Amino acid sequence: MKAVYPDKNYQCATNFLLTQPDAEFNFGQDRYQIIDEKLSSTNGKLSKHEAMQLLSDCSQDAHKNKQGKISKTQWSCVYDLKNKKVTICVNQNYDAKYTISVLE
């Protein structure tokens, strides 16, 4: 395991290793770039609604990946660090949001 420390005031993650960008199983660099460009343009600050919209905008529709398996966005999470809550949308249904306290 290798810790990756941010060089900006935000971090983003998709389905590839920042520490091994050429790994065979890596994918998601296009979605990472969309997220990074948006966060860069807003100095890393989005409302909860804007953050979930961004995740919706770069979600993956069902497709076959390099291994021939069906792949798609299974969940999207927005973390509210101030109020210690997470909002989750499942199966690309961004109209149904589930908010959970991480203190419970």
Side-chain angles (χ1 to χ4, degrees):
M1 181 189 316
K2 183 172 181 180
V4 177
Y5 297 96
D7 58 354
K8 304 168 186 167
N9 65 337
Y10 61 86
Q11 286 184 289
C12 19
T14 58
N15 303 82
F16 73 100
L17 300 175
L18 292 171
T19 57
Q20 297 176 12
D22 297 327
E24 176 180 319
F25 55 83
N26 280 345
F27 58 93
Q29 290 90 337
D30 55 335
R31 292 178 292 121
Y32 183 94
Q33 184 175 351
I34 292 167
I35 294 168
D36 189 48
E37 286 175 1
K38 177 65 175 180
L39 290 173
S40 178
S41 75
T42 63
N43 198 27
K45 296 179 184 188
L46 298 174
S47 70
K48 290 179 271 190
H49 174 76
E50 291 169 329
M52 192 60 79
Q53 183 61 52
L54 176 58
L55 293 175
S56 173
D57 291 346
C58 65
S59 66
Q60 280 187 335
D61 291 330
H63 67 283
K64 281 192 177 180
N65 64 20
K66 293 178 188 177
Q67 292 80 25
K69 296 181 181 180
I70 299 296
S71 179
K72 72 173 193 167
T73 297
Q74 296 177 24
W75 65 81
S76 298
C77 300
V78 172
Y79 297 90
D80 179 347
L81 301 179
K82 180 179 179 185
N83 296 304
K84 298 182 177 39
K85 295 181 180 183
V86 60
T87 299
I88 305 167
C89 292
V90 180
N91 223 10
Q92 293 180 295
N93 183 356
Y94 293 95
D95 293 326
K97 296 177 180 73
Y98 303 92
T99 301
I100 303 163
S101 170
V102 295
L103 297 175
E104 295 176 1

